[in-house]
Every structure is written in C-alpha cells, then in structure tokens.
Amino acid sequence: MALLELEGVDVFHGDLQAVYGLSLCADEGETVAIIGANGAGKSTLLRAIMGLSPARNGRVVFGGEDITRLRCNVVARRGIALVPEGRRLFASLSVEENLLLGAAHARPGPWTLEAVFDLFPAIRTFRHRRAAEISGGQQQMVAIGRALLTNPRLLLCDEISLGLAPSVINDIYASFARIRESRVAILLVEQDIVRARSASRRLYCLLKGKVTLEGAADAIDLHAIRHAYFGDSGS
Ligand SMILES: Nc1ncnc2c1ncn2[C@@H]1O[C@H](COP(=O)(O)OP(=O)(O)OP(=O)(O)O)[C@@H](O)[C@H]1O
Ligand SMILES: [Mg+2]
C-alpha cells in the first residue's frame, strides 16, 4: 500500500478550478517530484494534501486513512509537513525559535534540534540570530528544519531552490539523502526539470492542473518532459 494516494482530486480557489481529477501516489521513503510551469497547480496540490485548500472532489489517503477533509493541524499530527513556497519564517524570531515552532506539537521520532543542526551545520552558528538577518539559503534550511522537527512521514517541499545560488541548492539537495535515511517520503515541487529528475525516483508533470506525464524519473527523456511541461505550443 502506498503511503500517500490521491484519487481524482479536484481543487478550487473560489470558482476557479486549479487542479483537475488528479491522481498520484508516493511510497514510504520515496522521493517523488512534481514539475510544471507557473500556475500549473503545484502549490495548490500540496495545499490540498496538507488540508489548507481541501479537495472539493476525490480522495486523499495517507497511511490508509482518508484525510481529505481533515484540518491542517490534524494532517500535521498524522505526519505530513509542508515547507511552503517563500519559506514563511517569522522574521523577528531567532533561527532557534523558528525551528522550535516545528517541535511544539511534534510526533515522536529522530528529528531533534541537534539532528537538524547536524544536517545543516551552517545554521547552528546562527541559531540566536533573527531569521531576517541570515541568507536566503540559510532561511530555506531553517524552513526545512522546522518541518523536519514535526517528525513527518511525508515532507512536502514547495520550490525550495527558488532564488538561491547553485552551490546552496546543491547543499540543500545533498541533505535529502540523510532525510530519506530516516524513511521520510518527499514530495518535491521543482521548476528545474533536470534537478527534479536527478533528485527523485518518480516524477509527475502538471499542466493547467492536470497530470500530463508520469513515470520513473530515469526512464522519462527530457524531450517528453519538455513536451508535457509546456504543452503542444511550447515544444
Ligand atoms: N489563493 C488563490 N486565489 C485564487 N486563485 C489562486 C489562488 N492560488 C492560486 N490560484 C490560481 O490557481 C492556479 C494554480 O496556482 P498554483 O499557485 O497552484 O500554481 P503553481 O504551479 O504553484 O505556480 P508557481 O510555479 O507560480 O508557484 C493559478 O491559475 C493561480 O492563479
Ligand atoms: Mg507554486
């Protein structure tokens, strides 16, 4: 049985439908990438899983339980954590205070403050600095660390590399191997096709709220991905 399974999920923002009949799955400890252009529905999909923009139709099943209509704090307790687009740190709180927000209602598990600092040594040094005073890459590490401190079974990452220097992005992606070792599954929203493919085992491409391609990341060629990403007019 898959850890996460979506079946025919429709998500709306008011009257506007952003996700259409979407089905996908992720196994325990698996990294799955979701790629797609601006407005394809990637963040909406993650928000639907997290219970922030609940699906109007279809089902979200996690660990065998239907979580489609659960509120986000209950979804978090079940073991799903979101690293949101734009990080959403509290700028005036310290690095450590931001991290501890994740630990407040944490499930039992291996991720402690020390484990996060071991994963990202760069932020240990700045643990008492305000989040506003550290670099964008370090802020992203704090956002990932905060999510890990809830001890999730599934980590949802929304465009974690946006606006960061390639060397910092490499460091962050290198940390994924350690995260996977703790059996955490990762759903990775990423606009960089090459990076998404190399970081994941399976991949889904979204176009205008629908899945246009899915498969094993190492079996899909870049031409097919580009076609699915941009649609007919872009290839
Ligand atoms: N809060 C909202 N209210 C109304 N429409 C929204 C809202 N959030 C997203 N949308 C619309 O839903 C569609 C999907 O948006 P979404 O943010 O999920 O796309 P995305 O793939 O994450 O894009 P990006 O790469 O720019 O982050 C778009 O048409 C967007 O304009
Ligand atoms: Mg988005």
Side-chain angles (χ1 to χ4, degrees):
M1 187 181 64
L3 176 66
L4 175 75
E5 203 155 1
L6 272 65
E7 297 166 5
V9 164
D10 292 329
V11 193
F12 288 74
H13 296 291
D15 290 337
L16 179 115
Q17 186 165 5
V19 168
Y20 295 81
L22 193 144
S23 297
L24 67 73
C25 61
D27 288 331
E28 190 184 341
E30 186 181 37
T31 300
V32 174
I34 297 169
I35 59 169
N38 291 121
K42 307 180 298 296
S43 297
T44 302
L45 168 63
L46 296 191
R47 290 175 58 83
I49 296 168
M50 197 68 221
L52 291 163
S53 303
R56 188 175 293 184
N57 304 302
R59 292 201 328 147
V60 181
V61 179
F62 182 67
E65 180 190 9
D66 188 331
I67 63 162
T68 318
R69 316 239 176 269
L70 296 186
R71 293 162 62 95
C72 64
N73 58 328
V74 182
V75 172
R77 301 268 173 79
R78 295 291 191 274
I80 305 182
L82 173 66
V83 183
E85 202 170 8
R87 301 165 204 138
R88 303 287 178 92
L89 299 181
F90 289 91
S92 60
L93 297 184
S94 71
V95 164
E96 191 167 302
E97 286 166 337
N98 271 281
L99 287 170
L100 288 174
L101 289 174
H105 300 287
R107 295 151 45 83
W111 290 103
T112 60
L113 203 53
E114 278 309 301
V116 166
F117 287 144
D118 285 346
L119 184 69
F120 297 123
I123 58 174
R124 185 195 298 273
T125 322
F126 299 134
R127 63 197 289 172
H128 299 304
R129 278 214 195 155
R130 293 194 314 134
E133 293 165 350
I134 59 174
S135 72
Q138 289 156 354
Q139 288 176 355
Q140 191 64 75
M141 292 172 191
V142 175
I144 295 170
R146 179 179 59 183
L148 286 174
L149 276 166
T150 67
N151 276 300
R153 299 169 71 193
L154 173 66
L155 186 66
L156 309 174
C157 295
D158 199 348
E159 303 213 30
I160 49 176
S161 51
L162 207 65
L164 303 182
S167 66
V168 179
I169 300 172
N170 287 341
D171 288 348
I172 289 175
Y173 271 94
S175 73
F176 278 19
R178 295 263 302 276
I179 297 172
R180 270 195 296 270
E181 279 169 20
S182 67
R183 301 299 297 153
V184 177
I186 303 171
L187 209 55
L188 188 69
V189 163
E190 178 56 78
Q191 285 207 21
D192 180 336
I193 296 173
V194 174
R195 200 174 278 279
R197 201 171 63 151
S198 66
S200 64
R201 198 170 80 90
R202 286 187 309 109
L203 182 146
Y204 292 84
C205 184
L206 295 192
L207 178 68
K208 297 180 181 164
K210 295 177 183 159
V211 173
T212 47
L213 185 72
E214 64 176 282
D218 56 6
I220 304 178
D221 72 52
L222 278 177
H223 180 75
I225 294 176
R226 288 208 180 91
H227 186 72
Y229 191 101
F230 294 110
D232 289 331
S233 57
S235 57

